[in-house]
Amino acid sequence: MRGGIMTTVAVDVADGAAFRNYDEVLQHIHQRQHAEGTVKASYLDALREREAMYPTGILLEGYSVAIPHCDSSHARRPSIYIIRLPESVEVHQADGDDRLPVRLVINLVVTEPADQLQLLRALFNNLQDGEFYQQLLELPSGKAKALFISKIMQ
């Protein structure tokens, strides 16, 4: 983050498979992050509990994103995993009872709670820009990663 916080965070962008539902997306995130050694075995259950209590679907101007994350006690090292879905999945809205169609999922794994707040703030500020959202969805993965790092992590 700004000022050198989270400078060693891994950022990856992937084009996801056609998941049937959001829980399949969460399972995929856990499998990938656990295989990378980024999260503990408890991570999937923690994500599911977080989503049940405090959904992470965000409604923006004409589009929606999901930002699954949970308590830092389930993390081993910081990571951001961006998944671009070919077909939208329904996600519960963070501040309402609606379900939102989501094609962009940004998984946050942080080891310091203060970093998570800063990261979420930077994400919300930038995701309100429809062009930033479209570029994350459409640019080749390497360029989308570079854009994310330049806008969010610098």
Side-chain angles (χ1 to χ4, degrees), residues 1-123:
M1 296 292 305
R2 301 181 196 286
I5 297 170
M6 290 189 70
T7 53
T8 59
V9 67
V11 177
D12 286 305
V13 176
D15 294 312
F19 297 105
R20 289 180 304 221
N21 57 53
Y22 191 49
D23 192 66
E24 285 186 2
V25 175
L26 297 180
Q27 290 174 49
H28 167 76
I29 289 169
H30 175 258
Q31 288 166 355
R32 186 220 178 255
Q33 296 284 36
H34 194 257
E36 295 280 324
T38 305
V39 300
K40 299 176 183 175
S42 60
Y43 191 72
L44 179 58
D45 288 338
L47 276 181
R48 286 174 170 156
E49 288 173 20
R50 172 68 165 81
E51 289 292 334
M53 298 279 293
Y54 305 102
T56 61
I58 308 297
L59 178 62
L60 296 157
E61 203 65 39
Y63 53 94
S64 306
V65 298
I67 308 175
H69 60 283
C70 62
D71 188 79
S72 60
S73 65
H74 304 280
R76 293 190 191 282
R77 63 178 188 267
S79 172
I80 297 170
Y81 182 37
I82 300 166
I83 307 169
R84 304 171 317 175
L85 303 174
E87 301 291 329
S88 63
V89 295
E90 284 195 342
V91 176
H92 287 284
Q93 185 174 350
D95 52 0
D97 295 327
D98 293 337
R99 294 179 67 81
L100 306 172
V102 166
R103 286 194 52 225
L104 185 65
V105 178
I106 304 173
N107 170 233
L108 308 180
V109 177
V110 297
T111 52
E112 295 294 328
D115 290 346
Q116 182 167 291
L117 290 175
Q118 282 188 311
L119 190 54
L120 285 168
R121 201 170 292 127
L123 265 176

